[in-house]
Amino acid sequence: MAELKMPEINYVIVAGNLTKDPIFRETTNKTPVVNFSLASNRRFKDSSNQWQEDVCYVGIVAWNKLAESCKERLKKGSAVLVDGELQSRTWKTDDGHNRSIVEIKARRIQFLNKRGKFVDAEAVNHDEEEAIVSEENENNYAEDSFDKFLSNEESDLIKDK
């Protein structure tokens, strides 16, 4: 029998709001890095057909130009759409215990909040990392709206709320 090879796929897309201000720092060799957490909400109907909401908290790390863009644009409550890959890391705490975390290493972050000026798109590229600033016309979407990412069916469900 032929040997089966599992595909190597590690791809994540998540949208949400920052739970606190991002933490920006530089490594010893001056590489910019930023860490932040997202709260991503999920709405569903329970067994009694009532709407419920669940929150998933996700850690995000971004490097280089993408980290610098995050430093300039993000704060607690900012709405973003992140795509990247899962990564895990392990470290020892000061008291000698081993800790590990699984987080998303961002490849691209779409900032969903408006800024003072409105442009169609502005891209900041660095290797695989890309920050896409997509700001809609002032009259189109509420500041933290994800409506433009919903299917018609999902949009109808929210309107029924």
Side-chain angles (χ1 to χ4, degrees), residues 109-137:
I109 297 176
Q110 185 170 358
F111 305 109
L112 300 175
N113 294 93
K114 295 183 208 173
R115 287 201 296 196
K117 295 181 181 177
F118 298 95
V119 293
D120 288 338
E122 166 188 313
V124 179
N125 294 309
H126 190 296
D127 297 333
E128 291 181 42
E129 299 156 344
E130 179 180 12
I132 294 182
V133 181
S134 177
E135 293 151 337
E136 301 298 329
N137 185 315

Side-chain angles (χ1 to χ4, degrees), residues 14 34-38 58-62 82 103-106 109:
V14 65
V34 69
N35 294 84
F36 57 91
S37 289
L38 284 185
V58 183
I60 311 290
V61 62
V82 177
E103 60 195 352
I104 297 173
K105 179 183 174 196
I109 297 176

Side-chain angles (χ1 to χ4, degrees), residues 12-130:
V12 178
I13 299 175
V14 65
N17 297 84
L18 274 70
T19 60
K20 57 185 176 182
D21 289 339
I23 299 168
F24 180 85
R25 62 190 190 290
E26 290 183 340
T27 63
T28 54
N29 63 351
K30 303 293 185 203
T31 303
V33 61
V34 69
N35 294 84
F36 57 91
S37 289
L38 284 185
S40 183
N41 297 334
R42 178 177 70 95
R43 290 177 37 90
F44 62 95
K45 284 192 175 181
D46 63 14
S47 59
S48 60
N49 212 27
Q50 297 295 310
W51 281 106
Q52 299 294 323
E53 192 166 304
D54 189 26
V55 180
C56 180
Y57 298 97
V58 183
I60 311 290
V61 62
W63 295 87
N64 300 311
K65 295 284 187 190
L66 188 53
E68 291 172 358
S69 294
C70 290
K71 176 185 174 188
E72 295 168 11
R73 297 286 311 275
L74 298 179
K75 62 182 181 181
K76 179 179 179 177
S78 294
V80 294
L81 183 118
V82 177
D83 82 46
E85 62 185 44
L86 290 176
Q87 72 174 15
S88 60
R89 55 189 174 93
T90 304
W91 71 96
K92 274 199 189 291
T93 61
D94 292 339
D95 59 2
H97 290 93
N98 287 330
R99 294 279 318 252
S100 63
I101 188 171
V102 175
E103 60 195 352
I104 297 173
K105 179 183 174 196
R107 285 191 195 108
R108 190 176 80 169
I109 297 176
Q110 185 170 358
F111 305 109
L112 300 175
N113 294 93
K114 295 183 208 173
R115 287 201 296 196
K117 295 181 181 177
F118 298 95
V119 293
D120 288 338
E122 166 188 313
V124 179
N125 294 309
H126 190 296
D127 297 333
E128 291 181 42
E129 299 156 344
E130 179 180 12

